[in-house]
Amino acid sequence: MTMHPKRDVVIVINPGSTSSKIALFKAGKMVAERTLNHSLAELSQFDAVIAQKDFRMQAIQEFLADQDFSASEVLAVAGRGGLLKPIPGGTYAVNEAMLDDLTAAKRNEHASNLGAGLAQQVADQYGVKAYVVDPPVVDELQPLARISGLKGIERHSAAHVLNQKAMARQVLATMGKTYATSRVIVAHIGRGLSIHAHENGRMIDGNNGIDGEGPYSPERAGSLPLVDFVAKVLAERLTLDQVKKLLASQSGLRSYLNDISIKNIVARIAEGDETAKFYLDGMIYQIKKQIAEMAGVLNGQVDVIILTGGAAYATAVTAPLQHDLAWIAPVVVRPGEMEMQALYEGVMRVLNHEEPVRVYQSDASTIKGGTGR
């Protein structure tokens, strides 16, 4: 009698600006992982991000060829979600509408736009389905949170969605609580900052740091005095693209200290650099204010505050926040990110029928639920 291997292998693909991360999960555990680095010289030959697909796929196939598994063991493929239209959080089956929108880069160019297409191509190879989980465009703001204060301009969400939701689930599980029934504040502190209030499984409010909200970060401006900023824009005759670049990558600690490395800045402080200390303290001060603001959104009923992201490795950043915010709720530090694990877990929640698979529609007018298989 021929024994057929169990389908328990999930392939996870996470394209970044100059790298492609790929991992193999088997029976709940990561059994292989590799970061495939791509030089700027290699990527410069492509006019658009989406044109990099075949180049990146070749490196992914080389990784897969080195692994010890059979095609009959593959259960599914997960890819990083890209810049789609605003959608609720969840796990989405890759479909033509999604691929069309990402190929056209309707919302912007970004390496994450490659995730769904790469996942679909690998899934086709093994005869299984491809999925994306909690894309960066997830927008679950409650209606009052969308009001900007000026008619014709509406607030919208932009955040480290995948890592925020994954960290919330992980920490709450250790507390014997579920994400779907809890109130949590998650602060992802990295080169950019996103701090959001999560209520019963939804990110109901938070800052859109990339467009100029919330605390400043190592390279983002956060909220600015509007009249002074508009005066600068007019005086320097900045274009919209220049304004976006200034807000998203040329401000914050970079503008004050000419450095975006928290590790370097902490070292400068240890050597007596008072200027570095002043501006790092300023960032921490603004993070504290944003977290307290989110506590207000949740009416002070907060199960836990979670500090995550690359900068959460620095106790110089996390220790004062833990001390100063303990009056709101327990403050838990989970440094780094768990995107690969989060992509795997999102797919498994669908395949285990713990939540429905979502179906992306190009007009984003309705998002359907469906079965997991």
Side-chain angles (χ1 to χ4, degrees), residues 17-339:
S17 58
T18 58
S19 68
S20 298
K21 293 181 180 179
I22 182 165
L24 220 61
F25 287 81
K26 183 176 175 65
K29 295 182 179 180
M30 183 188 292
V31 295
E33 182 182 26
R34 186 178 298 171
T35 298
L36 310 167
N37 293 307
H38 313 303
S39 71
L40 293 177
E42 289 174 319
L43 298 179
S44 64
Q45 62 184 303
F46 302 104
D47 294 332
V49 169
I50 203 68
Q52 300 171 13
K53 182 184 172 186
D54 290 343
F55 166 76
R56 295 201 188 218
M57 179 57 67
Q58 181 179 351
I60 290 169
Q61 293 292 2
E62 290 172 359
F63 166 82
L64 293 173
D66 291 339
Q67 307 310 312
D68 183 21
F69 72 96
S70 65
S72 58
E73 293 178 88
V74 178
L75 178 63
V77 182
R80 181 183 180 189
L83 301 185
L84 300 162
K85 293 188 175 182
I87 51 178
T91 298
Y92 289 77
V94 177
N95 60 17
E96 288 303 316
M98 180 184 295
L99 294 174
D100 287 347
D101 280 3
L102 293 172
T103 299
K106 289 184 176 181
R107 293 192 67 82
N108 213 337
E109 290 271 1
H110 194 273
S112 62
N113 290 352
L114 291 160
L118 292 170
Q120 185 63 62
Q121 187 168 333
V122 173
D124 289 344
Q125 176 181 335
Y126 294 106
V128 296
K129 290 184 178 180
Y131 303 88
V132 299
V133 182
D134 288 329
V137 295
V138 165
D139 190 336
E140 300 171 331
L141 297 186
Q142 59 187 348
L144 288 178
R146 297 191 183 280
I147 301 173
S148 71
L150 180 62
K151 186 175 181 179
I153 297 178
E154 187 176 84
R155 295 186 66 242
H156 59 92
S157 184
H160 302 86
V161 179
L162 184 62
N163 192 50
Q164 279 211 30
K165 285 179 174 276
M167 287 296 185
R169 288 188 177 96
Q170 183 189 73
V171 171
L172 288 165
T174 67
M175 301 170 63
K177 298 178 181 291
T178 66
Y179 179 58
T181 58
S182 299
R183 290 180 163 198
V184 187
I185 299 169
V186 184
H188 183 111
I189 312 170
R191 290 169 64 180
L193 270 165
S194 61
I195 301 172
H196 281 64
H198 299 239
E199 182 177 47
N200 299 332
R202 296 177 66 84
M203 300 170 68
I204 63 170
D205 202 350
N207 70 300
N208 177 349
I210 199 167
D211 284 347
E213 289 184 350
Y216 66 81
S217 75
E219 63 179 6
R220 292 180 183 168
S223 300
L224 296 171
L226 285 178
V227 172
D228 289 343
F229 182 63
V230 171
K232 175 183 176 65
V233 171
L234 295 175
E236 299 181 15
R237 299 184 178 181
L238 301 178
T239 66
L240 181 58
D241 284 345
Q242 288 173 324
V243 168
K244 288 180 177 180
K245 187 174 182 180
L246 178 62
L247 291 175
S249 64
Q250 296 180 341
S251 300
L253 294 177
R254 182 193 294 274
S255 68
Y256 291 122
L257 302 174
N258 196 31
D259 201 339
I260 62 172
S261 168
I262 296 296
K263 184 177 179 180
N264 291 347
I265 292 168
V266 169
R268 287 167 60 174
I269 294 171
E271 294 172 357
D273 188 331
E274 290 297 325
T275 301
K277 184 179 188 309
F278 183 73
Y279 288 111
L280 183 65
D281 284 349
M283 186 183 81
I284 295 167
Y285 175 80
Q286 292 195 2
I287 292 171
K288 181 170 63 174
K289 285 203 300 182
Q290 180 74 25
I291 291 174
E293 182 180 328
M294 292 301 101
V297 169
L298 297 175
N299 299 320
Q301 299 174 23
V302 182
D303 292 300
V304 65
I305 297 167
I306 303 168
L307 308 179
T308 185
Y313 283 107
T315 56
V317 173
T318 59
L321 292 172
Q322 285 184 292
H323 178 271
D324 294 348
L325 296 168
W327 61 275
I328 298 174
V331 183
V332 175
V333 179
R334 288 289 187 273
E337 51 82 15
M338 52 178 293
E339 289 185 344

